[in-house]
Amino acid sequence: MPELPEVETTRRGIDAVISGQTLRDLVLRESRMRWPIAEGLTALLSGRRVLGTGRRGKYLLLHFEHGVLIVHLGMSGSLRRVPLDEAPRKHDHVDWVFDHAILRLHDPRRFGAVLWHPAQAGPIEAHPLLIGLGIEPFDERFNGQWLHDHFRGRRVAVKQALLAGHAVVGVGNIYASECLFRAGIDPRLAAGRVSRPRCERLAQAIRATLTDALESGGSTLRDYVNATGEPGAYFAIHAAVYERAGQPCRLCDTPIRRIIQGQRATYFCPRCQKR
């Protein structure tokens, strides 16, 4: 699944293409996504100018004068710029057509979403999909104390607490393993038992890991590509534990372990990461 760095990389790529531009047409080839795409969306948006783009967690936001279009890439989706004359492929479900280019949503599993939030419905932050999200990891308020306060009393494993997104958004399965390794925390440790100093190390590790991922354009796992169709390079450069089961830890040579938590794979070093 595209995580925060992949989504933010996509946002930056499409922002340069569509901000300030008029949407000439919205082509819907398949409306059966995670939630059905609303009828009449083409008429509602065609001829309207895109004011700018945003992101909240893993949701892309396209701002218009009369509302906001929410786009989620689902499990395996991508949103990329293509030439005006490029024919659609299988699983290319939505086109945003501008004078100079097309943005094309490709989503083989159809777990993504394209949802309209009209201006009269209130601030986009109040949308049901966004209102319960935790703080952004690059928000100036996010620090170890924030994590410690939100972990207090929680018996769930710290990795699961990160994935839930209530304390901080954007730390998905891939980067959670990497963040916990950097912080030296066993992913099985109960969130409520993570001390204040260790929460501070974890907050710093989250920022550092996501910064590295953004600078390298996201992961190279599976079929993720950015807005220009290029894969990221995070795992070629930075990955310490993810998908390295049985390989030596880069710090101590202990074999990396793989376990399953909440039906998701977790990777960690049993020596470097303490309970």
Side-chain angles (χ1 to χ4, degrees):
M1 173 187 290
E3 298 190 18
L4 185 150
E6 288 78 47
V7 177
E8 176 61 20
T9 299
T10 296
R11 187 203 66 78
R12 294 177 182 183
I14 68 172
D15 186 76
V17 177
I18 69 174
S19 286
Q21 302 297 316
T22 298
L23 179 65
R24 297 305 179 189
D25 194 12
L26 182 68
V27 180
L28 304 178
R29 299 186 189 87
E30 176 59 80
S31 63
R32 297 172 299 170
M33 306 289 284
R34 185 175 182 182
W35 298 284
I37 299 177
E39 294 184 9
L41 192 59
T42 296
L44 188 66
L45 296 180
S46 295
R48 297 283 190 157
R49 187 166 64 93
V50 179
L51 302 182
T53 66
R55 179 193 53 76
R56 183 71 173 98
K58 299 178 185 179
Y59 294 94
L60 288 166
L61 308 175
L62 309 186
H63 294 272
F64 294 82
E65 291 180 354
H66 59 318
V68 180
L69 196 64
I70 303 172
V71 180
H72 194 281
L73 299 179
M75 294 294 293
S76 57
S78 63
L79 185 60
R80 63 190 182 93
R81 176 182 180 172
V82 301
L84 290 171
D85 59 352
E86 181 171 306
R89 304 170 297 166
K90 185 179 181 181
H91 307 308
D92 285 344
H93 301 316
V94 184
D95 281 357
W96 287 261
V97 182
F98 296 86
D99 287 333
H100 58 302
I102 294 173
L103 288 186
R104 181 162 288 164
L105 178 63
H106 180 79
D107 187 1
R109 299 188 187 183
R110 299 207 311 265
F111 284 170
V114 178
L115 302 171
W116 177 246
H117 180 78
Q120 59 266 33
I124 186 61
E125 294 79 12
H127 190 279
L129 291 174
L130 308 183
I131 195 169
L133 296 179
I135 197 171
E136 291 283 335
F138 297 109
D139 190 301
E140 62 181 14
R141 297 170 295 168
F142 176 64
N143 54 27
Q145 187 63 57
W146 180 279
L147 278 180
H148 194 252
D149 290 344
H150 285 77
F151 285 170
R152 185 176 290 118
R154 301 202 62 189
R155 297 182 181 180
V156 66
V158 61
K159 190 208 173 195
Q160 298 304 102
L162 289 176
L163 294 185
H166 300 310
V168 57
V169 296
V171 187
N173 192 57
I174 295 171
Y175 298 109
S177 287
E178 296 294 312
C179 294
L180 289 166
F181 174 78
R182 287 196 186 202
I185 298 172
D186 191 307
R188 300 166 294 182
L189 180 65
R193 293 184 56 200
V194 182
S195 67
R196 170 66 174 77
R198 298 182 89 187
C199 279
E200 189 59 51
R201 292 203 301 272
L202 181 55
Q204 293 173 4
I206 288 170
R207 278 210 183 95
T209 299
L210 296 182
T211 296
D212 286 345
L214 281 168
E215 290 177 350
S216 56
S219 73
T220 57
L221 293 183
R222 300 178 180 90
D223 54 1
Y224 164 72
V225 294
N226 62 24
T228 61
E230 299 295 324
Y234 175 83
F235 284 94
I237 303 171
H238 304 292
V241 292
Y242 195 84
E243 290 203 336
R244 296 192 64 244
Q247 298 181 43
C249 172
R250 301 192 191 281
L251 298 181
C252 72
D253 289 333
T254 300
I256 298 299
R257 284 190 59 190
R258 178 184 185 273
I259 61 174
I260 299 297
Q261 292 180 292
Q263 300 182 328
R264 307 294 297 277
T266 296
Y267 299 83
F268 70 104
C269 174
R271 183 175 181 181
C272 292
Q273 295 175 249
K274 306 299 183 182
R275 285 201 181 191

